Amino acid sequence: MTQPLAGIRVLDVATLFAGPLAGTLLADFGADVIKVEHPKGDPVRSHGAQRDGVGLWWKMLGRGKKSVTLYLGAPQGQEIFRRMVAEADVVIENFRPGTLERWGLGYPELRALNPRLVLARVTGFGQIGPYARRPGFGTLAEAMSGFAAVTGEADGPPTLPPFGLADGIAALTTAFAIMTALRARERDGTGQEVDLAIIEPILTLLGPQIIAYDQLGELQPRMGNRSSNNAPRNTYRTADGGWVAVSTSAQSVAERVLWLVGRPDLIDQPWFASGAERARHADELDAAVGGWISRHSTEEVVRAFEKAEAAVAPIYTAADVLEDPQYRALGSIIALPDAELGTVRMQNILFRLSETPGEIRWTGPPLGAHTDEVLARYGVDANERAELRAAGVIR
């Protein structure tokens, strides 16, 4: 079956995480994504875990893309890139503001070549403002958005996530922004420029913090695993050394949990009828729930909560995810052949479409694996490619 984004050509000239992951999501659903890399390769190829010198993060982030090496800082590289832009639907870039303009590849110049082009610009702080030219990474967004300020134990320091949270949120938002611009193009016939600052999407996902401060002067404190909106809500240790998470956002679920752990007397307390009031009695509720959980194995806890129709989940590692029957039923993890590593397992596409499902067509390819194939498509013959290699413009 034809994939939903088949026929959409994307030039991914971004590096590391947010911009490239947006390109990955588009590739998963059939877009023709050409990864344009510096001849030295995208830094993610050497970032994080390696096996036999092969970057594992790249295998996921580069999946479904064609790898082309091209040095955009060289006039020859810029000229070839212009040819590619003329036939593209989307360009994703994350250079510091002003870099493309310095190369003569700013949006006005690209749009003159291709009025239907969507240029997605993904940077730490956006294209305008006093911080625009600062180096920007997801960590800074996690700090400036307020995420770190509300994360961690009450008596501990602000806490950053041990993975690219802000980058991932920005990638999802970038993919959505690109699809929004492409939909507008269907109506108006012209492309447009997308300015996405990584500091913004995570700010939105933090919920009502801004309006609560604006209207009430309230700042959300750090509360560890607890919530100011409901209780019991925490992680609890089981008898066999595991951990489970419990959530009681719905009043009926909170009541079922207290019946399960043998403390229905707490349900009759005046404060129990409100999630916010229950949160003020979290110590008492955690003692009741945590005490019961500590006397049962993880399997017993999950089975009892499921029977009681109460919300619980075991705390998983990656090893547990690979063995979980629900993830298996959903096909959340997929095994793929890889020319360098044999068979590799990674996260599958994000969602399932009934009529035009996506597909991971291949893992992240070796550097420049498609350079000859793709450049030939744009009229760069074998002799010219040899000259470009000798000049270091391609690899």
Side-chain angles (χ1 to χ4, degrees):
M1 289 181 287
T2 302
Q3 291 187 308
L5 300 184
I8 299 296
R9 182 166 294 175
V10 179
L11 303 179
D12 173 5
V13 298
T15 58
L16 292 174
F17 311 117
L21 181 55
T24 304
L25 301 177
L26 300 178
D28 285 348
F29 288 91
D32 177 14
V33 180
I34 299 173
K35 176 69 179 180
V36 180
E37 301 184 66
H38 190 284
K40 294 181 180 179
D42 189 313
V44 79
R45 288 180 178 273
S46 58
H47 196 95
Q50 310 268 315
R51 179 186 161 198
D52 299 330
V54 177
L56 301 182
W57 205 334
W58 164 254
K59 289 299 175 182
M60 177 187 173
L61 200 60
R63 70 193 196 188
K65 302 179 184 180
K66 294 181 177 179
S67 172
V68 173
T69 57
L70 188 65
Y71 178 43
L72 297 182
Q76 307 99 306
Q78 295 160 12
E79 177 54 34
I80 293 171
F81 186 66
R82 291 186 182 95
R83 296 187 216 174
M84 300 172 76
V85 166
E87 298 182 17
D89 295 287
V90 179
V91 171
I92 304 173
E93 68 96 4
N94 70 339
F95 298 107
R96 284 201 209 180
T99 301
L100 285 185
E101 286 75 9
R102 190 172 70 249
W103 291 338
L105 300 173
Y107 188 58
E109 290 81 5
L110 299 184
R111 186 168 187 170
L113 294 168
N114 182 353
R116 291 173 55 80
L117 181 72
V118 173
L119 174 63
R121 317 192 76 169
V122 186
T123 56
F125 302 102
Q127 298 295 308
I128 60 174
Y131 305 160
R133 292 182 179 272
R134 288 184 182 179
F137 297 100
T139 298
L140 308 187
E142 290 146 9
M144 288 181 60
S145 63
F147 172 86
V150 301
T151 304
E153 296 298 329
D155 57 353
T159 302
L160 297 167
F163 64 99
L165 177 64
D167 281 306
I169 297 170
L172 290 164
T173 309
T174 301
F176 171 65
I178 289 169
M179 298 309 300
T180 302
L182 290 175
R183 176 64 182 90
R185 189 182 73 174
E186 289 182 5
R187 182 191 61 209
D188 303 331
T190 58
Q192 57 186 297
E193 186 177 15
V194 174
D195 177 8
L196 189 136
I198 297 174
I199 60 173
E200 290 184 301
I202 189 172
L203 186 65
T204 296
L205 263 64
L206 285 171
Q209 291 188 33
I210 299 296
I211 194 171
Y213 180 74
D214 174 66
Q215 296 295 305
L216 303 172
E218 293 182 355
L219 291 173
Q220 181 175 326
R222 289 190 291 282
M223 303 182 67
N225 292 318
R226 288 179 172 177
S227 167
S228 59
N229 300 313
N230 65 81
R233 194 265 196 180
N234 212 327
T235 59
Y236 305 93
R237 193 74 181 260
T238 61
D240 56 355
W243 289 88
V244 296
V246 172
S247 177
T248 57
S249 296
Q251 179 69 22
S252 59
V253 173
E255 293 175 6
R256 289 196 287 268
V257 169
L258 269 295
W259 274 105
L260 171 62
V261 303
R263 292 299 307 273
D265 58 296
L266 295 177
I267 299 173
D268 297 327
Q269 296 295 323
W271 47 262
F272 196 86
S274 161
E277 286 299 316
R278 292 201 311 272
R280 294 186 179 94
H281 292 79
D283 286 342
E284 189 173 359
L285 292 169
D286 276 348
V289 175
W292 183 89
I293 288 175
S294 70
R295 298 191 296 273
H296 297 81
S297 70
T298 303
E299 183 179 353
E300 290 170 341
V301 171
V302 172
R303 190 185 311 120
F305 267 72
E306 184 175 359
K307 184 177 180 181
E309 298 185 355
V312 71
I315 304 295
Y316 276 175
T317 66
D320 299 312
V321 169
L322 291 173
E323 298 301 322
D324 182 80
Q326 182 62 29
Y327 280 125
R328 285 183 175 176
L330 293 172
S332 305
I333 306 299
I334 188 171
L336 298 164
D338 181 82
E340 296 175 292
L341 299 175
T343 299
V344 298
R345 288 184 288 179
M346 66 177 66
Q347 298 93 320
N348 206 343
I349 57 177
L350 282 176
F351 48 85
R352 288 157 293 281
L353 297 177
S354 63
E355 305 305 321
T356 55
E359 176 189 14
I360 300 174
R361 289 165 287 178
W362 57 80
T363 59
L367 178 61
H370 303 94
T371 297
D372 289 328
E373 170 197 335
V374 171
L375 293 193
R377 183 193 304 173
Y378 296 100
V380 184
D381 62 27
N383 290 334
E384 187 176 356
R385 294 198 300 272
E387 293 174 1
L388 292 169
R389 284 194 168 92
V393 177
I394 66 174
R395 176 172 170 172

